[in-house]
Amino acid sequence: MTHSTLALEAVGVTVAYGGNPVLRDLNVQVRRGEIYALLGGNGAGKSTTLNAFLGFARPDAGKVAVCGIDVGADVLGARAQLAYVPENVALYEHLDARENLEYFLRLANTAWTDESIGEALRAVRLDESAWKRRLGGYSKGMRQKVAIALAVARAVPVLLLDEPTSGLDPKATSEFNALLHKLRGDGAAIFMVTHDLLGAADVADRIGFLDRGHIGHEVAAGGGERFDVRDLYRRYAGTREAA
Ligand SMILES: Nc1ncnc2c1ncn2[C@@H]1O[C@H](COP(=O)(O)OP(=O)(O)O)[C@@H](O)[C@H]1O
Ligand SMILES: [Mg+2]
C-alpha cells in the first residue's frame, strides 16, 4: 500500500473518558477509492472513532493519520483533507442550498464560482427545483446531499459519515448509496459508521465490527461478490459495548 493511497489510518488507538476506555487498540486503514463501514451498536465507540480522525478526541495511546498527516501533530492540515457529515447535518435553515455552500466554502477558504457550486449540487443530484428553497423545508436526505455537495466543492479526498442512512427511507437510502459509489469511483475514501447492517452490506467494500472498542474482525466484498448477510448478522450480534 503506497503512502499516497492510504487515506485514513489508526494505529493502536486508545481513547478513554474519565478512566473508561471507549476505544482500545483500534487499528484501521482506508484507501482512496474504498468504502469502509464500521459497524457497532449504540455506545460502541463509533462517533468517538470519527472524533479521533477529526482531532476532537485525543488518543491516550496510538496514532491517527489522514492522508499521511499525523492528526496529533497537524490537526488543521488533517482536517483540510476531510469532510465530515454528522448524523444530523447542521446547516443554515433560513438559507437556500446555494447560499449555504457559499457561506461554508468561504469559511473553509475555498474559492468558488456560481458554476462550481452548480456543478457540486448537480453531482449530488439535488433536484434543481430545490436549489433556491430554504433548507428549513428540506428532508434529511436533501440536507445530506447539501453536506456532501460541500465536500465535492471542497474537493477533499476523505469523507467521514456518522450514521448517514439512519432515518432515510429506502429510496433516499439507495440514492445516497449510489452517490457514495460515484464518489468512490472518483477516488474518494469513504469511512462510514453505522448500526445498519443491511445498509453497510449494500454499500461497503469492507466492513469492520467494533467490539468493545476494538475492531476484532473485518470482512471484504470480494470480486463483485456481496457479503453473506447472515454471516454478518451472526458476527454483529456477537459484538459487545465498549464500557
Ligand atoms: N465526550 C465524552 N465524554 C464522556 N463520555 C463520552 C464522550 N463521548 C462519548 N462518550 C461515551 O463513550 C461511549 C461511546 O460513545 P460513542 O462513540 O458516541 O458511541 P456510538 O457512536 O457508537 O453510539 C459511550 O459510553 C459514551 O457515553
Ligand atoms: Mg454515534
Side-chain angles (χ1 to χ4, degrees):
M1 190 179 300
T2 66
H3 197 61
S4 61
T5 59
L6 194 51
L8 290 172
E9 186 176 34
V11 184
V13 169
T14 297
V15 172
Y17 289 118
N20 267 344
V22 174
L23 303 180
R24 310 166 199 241
D25 190 24
L26 182 101
N27 295 289
V28 67
Q29 293 189 331
V30 187
R31 290 176 290 270
R32 303 279 302 261
E34 184 177 40
I35 301 176
Y36 188 103
L38 183 64
L39 267 179
N42 294 329
K46 301 184 299 298
S47 296
T48 303
T49 304
L50 296 182
N51 283 332
F53 284 120
L54 287 160
F56 294 125
R58 290 194 163 261
D60 298 284
K63 198 195 93 168
V64 182
V66 179
C67 298
I69 303 168
D70 185 329
V71 176
D74 180 9
V75 69
L76 294 181
R79 280 184 199 152
Q81 307 296 318
L82 291 172
Y84 165 55
V85 181
E87 191 175 351
N88 294 300
V89 170
L91 295 161
Y92 282 95
E93 300 286 292
H94 59 286
L95 300 179
D96 68 28
R98 234 175 216 292
E99 290 164 341
N100 265 287
L101 287 189
E102 288 174 16
Y103 178 78
F104 285 103
L105 287 171
R106 197 169 288 139
L107 275 190
N109 248 327
T110 304
W112 52 269
T113 60
D114 283 353
E115 207 153 277
S116 67
I117 286 182
E119 265 172 37
L121 290 172
R122 259 189 295 278
V124 300
R125 299 197 180 93
L126 181 71
D127 197 358
E128 204 152 338
S129 64
W131 291 12
K132 289 247 148 78
R133 279 174 24 214
R134 291 149 44 107
L135 262 72
Y138 274 31
S139 66
K140 175 169 174 173
M142 291 164 78
R143 277 163 215 266
Q144 276 178 328
K145 286 182 178 177
V146 177
I148 298 216
L150 181 59
V152 170
R154 285 177 57 214
V156 290
V158 188
L159 245 74
L160 300 179
L161 309 170
D162 199 346
E163 310 254 359
T165 54
S166 74
L168 292 191
D169 67 25
K171 180 166 176 283
T173 300
S174 102
E175 268 184 34
F176 185 79
N177 287 347
L179 173 56
L180 295 189
H181 277 133
K182 180 165 153 292
L183 296 171
R184 175 186 65 178
D186 295 339
I190 298 169
F191 184 77
M192 59 187 271
V193 304
T194 181
H195 57 234
D196 171 17
L197 183 142
L198 283 177
D202 239 8
V203 78
D205 300 304
R206 276 194 298 145
I207 298 178
F209 295 85
L210 195 57
D211 185 3
R212 295 196 298 171
H214 181 80
I215 300 176
H217 190 77
E218 267 182 12
V219 288
E225 287 279 310
R226 294 315 302 173
F227 299 96
D228 177 344
V229 175
R230 281 191 193 199
D231 179 55
L232 293 184
Y233 180 75
R234 276 191 292 269
R235 291 194 182 282
Y236 190 21
T239 59
R240 287 149 294 174
E241 276 189 30

